[in-house]
Amino acid sequence: QVNVAESGGGSVQPGGSLKLSCRASGGTLDTITMGWFRQAPGKEREVVAAYDFFDRKTIYIDSVKDRFTISRDKNALMIYLQMNSLKVEDSGVYYCAADNVFWNLWENRAPAYWGQGTQVTVSL
């Protein structure tokens, strides 16, 4: 069983910044993709960004490119999401997720492991 836990949500004004953290533990994941999803009230959950530990590649949805940066810890299955120039429409519950297969997370939107979610609120 792989456990995924995220932290770092909060409330900011538009234009502000927040940094989310996520750690995966347990299991025997030799290759892993970890990423971030978000869900706003009344909307479907959407993938935001992902990091593939095997290929060391990052990928983002267009609406967060140049504003969000995903990075990893060198010594742990841990990723971060630095969110700058936040907009009201970035608000929602942010979920960290993990899977052995990149496309399960990014393309199929169905990663095997999920965190509990952390609230991000951007408002005046």
Side-chain angles (χ1 to χ4, degrees):
Q1 179 67 32
V2 175
N3 295 310
V4 178
E6 62 277 88
S7 61
S11 297
V12 295
Q13 293 185 343
S17 298
L18 284 173
K19 186 174 184 177
L20 306 182
S21 302
C22 175
R23 181 184 293 271
S25 60
T28 55
L29 296 173
D30 296 324
T31 62
I32 187 173
T33 294
M34 294 178 69
W36 295 95
F37 290 70
R38 67 185 179 190
Q39 187 168 22
K43 294 188 176 181
E44 291 188 358
R45 187 158 51 188
E46 65 173 348
V47 66
V48 176
Y51 182 87
D52 187 314
F53 279 69
F54 183 74
D55 291 333
R56 299 184 182 179
K57 67 178 178 184
T58 58
I59 190 168
Y60 305 90
I61 56 173
D62 287 344
S63 63
V64 306
K65 282 181 182 176
D66 300 325
R67 298 190 299 121
F68 290 12
T69 302
I70 193 168
S71 60
R72 61 161 290 184
D73 185 281
K74 283 185 178 180
N75 300 313
L77 288 177
M78 190 159 186
I79 59 171
Y80 307 93
L81 186 68
Q82 177 66 46
M83 304 185 293
N84 299 327
S85 302
L86 281 161
K87 303 176 180 180
V88 172
E89 53 265 39
D90 292 319
S91 297
V93 178
Y94 281 67
Y95 298 90
C96 184
D99 199 288
N100 284 345
V101 180
F102 177 81
W103 294 111
N104 282 348
L105 189 150
W106 185 258
E107 192 69 25
N108 298 332
R109 315 295 202 256
Y113 309 105
W114 291 90
Q116 294 297 312
T118 185
Q119 179 70 46
V120 170
T121 303
V122 185
S123 64
L124 292 171

